[in-house]
């Protein structure tokens, strides 16, 4: 290590450590729009949205949702390819 490097290292070791913090005088707010449902502000607008286990006809709904995603995932690119071939042909 060079003398300049050693001197810089000693200088950095003696320098006071800076602490970066954020200070605010505002009171923290939960963003719950003034409502409270048992303390869970995340589920204010849709309390029962995530209770998938209790959903009626869950198997058929999930099967339809998954199959439609797969059909659209393969169908849209296939349709785009056919359309481009049709346009290129004439």
């Amino acid at each position: 290590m060079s003398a300049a490097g050693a001197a810089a290292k000693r200088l950095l070791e003696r320098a006071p450590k800076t602490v970066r913090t954020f200070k605010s005088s505002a009171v923290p707010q939960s963003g719950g729009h003034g409502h409270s449902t048992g303390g869970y502000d995340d589920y204010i607008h849709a309390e029962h949205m995530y209770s998938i286990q209790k959903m009626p006809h869950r198997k058929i709904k999930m099967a339809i949702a998954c199959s439609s995603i797969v059909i659209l995932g393969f169908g849209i690119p296939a349709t785009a390819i056919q359309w481009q071939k049709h346009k290129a042909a004439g």
Side-chain angles (χ1 to χ4, degrees):
M1 183 181 289
S2 67
K9 184 176 179 183
R10 281 192 305 272
L11 181 65
L12 288 174
E13 287 174 353
R14 283 188 276 157
K17 303 287 184 203
T18 58
V19 178
R20 297 181 183 182
T21 60
F22 178 77
K23 294 182 181 179
S24 174
S25 60
V27 178
Q29 298 175 353
S30 66
H33 306 292
H35 305 288
S36 180
T37 56
Y40 299 106
D41 290 334
D42 294 339
Y43 300 105
I44 273 183
H45 300 291
E47 293 180 7
H48 306 289
M49 182 174 174
Y50 299 108
S51 58
I52 295 175
Q53 288 80 14
K54 297 177 185 176
M55 179 190 301
H57 310 294
R58 176 182 46 142
K59 288 185 179 180
I60 189 70
K61 287 180 182 177
M62 291 300 143
I64 290 171
C66 291
S67 60
S68 63
I69 289 170
V70 169
I71 289 170
L72 287 174
F74 284 108
I76 291 174
T79 306
I81 290 170
Q82 287 177 353
W83 177 255
Q84 286 189 353
K85 285 182 178 181
H86 173 72
K87 293 293 277 185

